Amino acid sequence: NNARPVKHTFCAVVIAISAILAFVGSFQFVVASSSAVQKEEIAIATIDNYGDATLSNKNNLDASKETEANYISTKFEVSGKVQGVSFRRYTQAKATELGLMGWCRNTPRGTVEGEYEYEEIEGGAVAASSFQRWLCNVGSPKSRIDECKFEEKEVVSDRPSFDEFVIIR
């Protein structure tokens, strides 16, 4: 059976690419053997900025496009040295890169708070998880992150509440 070696080879390739390109950015590529293409058994692999890989069957992705999307809203607050270090600008850039919509602003408490929405599909959840890790561990180059708080709401609607990710001044 040829499927088993292809599967193992793919896993090794994903691990190698993940390790080498962990900080390049998220990207997708198609994975298929010649016999799989004939049967339309194609998979889409997504690797995010942290090297986390997810594999989705093309047929499952096509089916999810036919269903109505739901959007999840998450509020966040980040404390530490996050004001006066371009934290909001970097946060906006990261959210936009990941396809998230929402807002962020400085607070009188010296923190940065905000809210973002993502589509309740596999790619949206991966983007939200990557964004949370980025907020808690990376931030702007001169920031120091002491604490991150997240409050996820249930499904907020079948349409996004925001058109883009903005900084509120």
Side-chain angles (χ1 to χ4, degrees), residues 70-78 91 95 99-105 112-121 124-133 135-136 148-157 159-162 164-166:
N70 291 318
Y71 288 84
I72 305 291
S73 175
T74 302
K75 291 185 177 187
F76 65 89
E77 185 170 17
V78 183
T91 298
L100 302 173
M101 297 160 283
W103 58 271
C104 67
R105 66 180 172 201
V112 170
E113 68 179 2
E115 182 177 1
Y116 63 90
E117 288 181 348
Y118 64 94
E119 202 170 351
E120 189 182 38
I121 58 170
V126 169
S129 177
S130 292
F131 188 58
Q132 286 185 359
R133 283 194 310 262
L135 283 170
C136 293
C148 294
K149 297 178 185 175
F150 298 94
E151 181 185 327
E152 188 170 283
K153 296 180 183 178
E154 294 299 317
V155 175
V156 289
S157 73
R159 294 186 314 264
S161 302
F162 309 103
E164 60 185 334
F165 196 96
V166 298

Side-chain angles (χ1 to χ4, degrees), residues 44-62:
I44 309 238
T46 303
I47 299 179
D48 69 15
N49 295 25
Y50 297 93
D52 296 335
T54 56
L55 184 62
S56 306
N57 181 298
K58 176 188 172 291
N59 297 331
N60 291 344
L61 291 176
D62 290 343

Side-chain angles (χ1 to χ4, degrees), residues 1 5-6 12 14 40 48 59 65 90 128 133 146 151 154:
N1 187 345
V6 170
V14 167
E40 294 188 13
D48 69 15
N59 297 331
K65 290 178 185 175
Y90 278 85
R133 283 194 310 262
D146 294 337
E151 181 185 327
E154 294 299 317

